[in-house]
Amino acid sequence: MSEEMIRDEQPRAALHPGLPRRLTAEAIGSFFLFCVVIGSGIMGETLSGGNVALALLGNTLATGAILFVIILIFAPLSGAHFNPAVTLVAFVRRELPAREASFYILAQLAGGIIGVWAAHLMFDLDILQFSSKTRTGSGQWAGEAIATFGLILTILGAVRHRPAWIAPAVGLYIGAGYWFTSSTSFANPAITVARALSDTFAGIAPADVAPFLAAQIAGALLAALLAGWLFAEPR
């Protein structure tokens, strides 16, 4: 390696953002992710003329696009979790201490809920509301477990083999998940809680949140267990 390359690499090696910067990145990223999920759902439903498939397509494209962007810009700071399931897996894999993992989850929830409220504000809706949209049943719970399992496996596989492709991989996976899962792939406990606070296209009734959370956590932990063996360094 040349002296010029060494000089270029030294600042990168020394870069270790403090916890406040990482939490701010998690909060801002979650703000935009949740705002886009809710806002694009409102816009899609408004413009689709009652065509649910068209509304879902708009919701899908916007969500996949914002995931690409926020992971690209925030991954060097916080790891770009924006999802308690991802943070939980990082903790289980001993990549994040318990205290920091707890703060990550709080930042994700706080930033994300503010993002939901911002979407309501932009579309002249009541800022504070609760969803009345029923999402329940074994099929949807299975959908959430599978969606979260696949998301975690996508992230860990990309980290292991193609780190530069994490942003497009996650965006594309969630885009596919909107269509191949019965639950439209929430795959995120924080956004599940936040969607309960929005009586719009992307909402979920508060009474239906707990089973979704259980399915997501189960899927995430199972994926982490499998990935530990599947993507292990060869001896």
Side-chain angles (χ1 to χ4, degrees):
M1 182 180 288
S2 69
E3 290 183 4
E4 183 178 356
M5 290 176 68
I6 292 173
R7 286 196 300 271
D8 289 342
E9 287 297 321
Q10 281 176 342
R12 298 178 189 178
L15 179 63
H16 183 70
L19 185 59
R21 288 176 64 194
R22 286 184 280 146
L23 295 179
T24 301
E26 285 295 301
I28 294 173
S30 298
F31 170 89
F32 279 107
L33 174 59
F34 293 23
C35 187
V36 166
V37 169
I38 297 299
S40 64
I42 297 169
M43 181 68 82
E45 190 173 43
T46 301
L47 298 179
S48 66
N51 187 325
V52 178
L54 191 58
L56 182 61
L57 179 60
N59 202 200
T60 300
L61 294 175
T63 302
I66 196 62
L67 278 168
F68 180 95
V69 173
I70 60 177
I71 292 173
L72 187 70
I73 64 176
F74 290 124
L77 289 173
S78 67
H81 294 192
F82 316 130
N83 185 337
V86 177
T87 302
L88 174 62
V89 169
F91 167 69
V92 169
R93 289 164 59 89
R94 300 182 181 179
E95 296 168 358
L96 202 63
R99 175 176 171 273
E100 293 186 7
S102 299
F103 284 135
Y104 264 51
I105 293 171
L106 289 175
Q108 293 156 5
L109 279 167
I113 290 172
I114 294 171
V116 171
W117 292 341
H120 293 164
L121 177 64
M122 289 190 290
F123 287 94
D124 294 320
L125 301 176
D126 291 338
I127 293 177
L128 300 178
Q129 52 184 271
F130 293 96
S131 178
S132 59
K133 190 165 187 175
T134 300
R135 296 180 187 262
T136 189
S138 57
Q140 296 215 36
W141 304 334
E144 275 306 288
I146 291 169
T148 312
F149 174 87
L151 174 63
I152 298 301
L153 209 60
T154 297
I155 293 169
L156 296 180
V159 167
R160 173 70 177 84
H161 298 295
R162 295 287 189 275
W165 282 80
I166 293 174
V170 172
L172 289 170
Y173 176 82
I174 290 298
Y178 266 59
W179 290 86
F180 84 83
T181 65
S182 55
S183 61
T184 65
S185 189
F186 286 35
N188 183 330
I191 206 167
T192 303
V193 172
R195 286 191 187 202
L197 303 177
S198 183
D199 195 19
T200 60
F201 180 79
I204 176 174
D208 298 332
V209 167
F212 266 55
L213 300 185
Q216 291 159 359
I217 292 170
L221 293 177
L222 183 58
L225 181 64
L226 176 63
W229 168 76
L230 188 62
F231 301 132
E233 293 279 355
R235 294 185 179 180

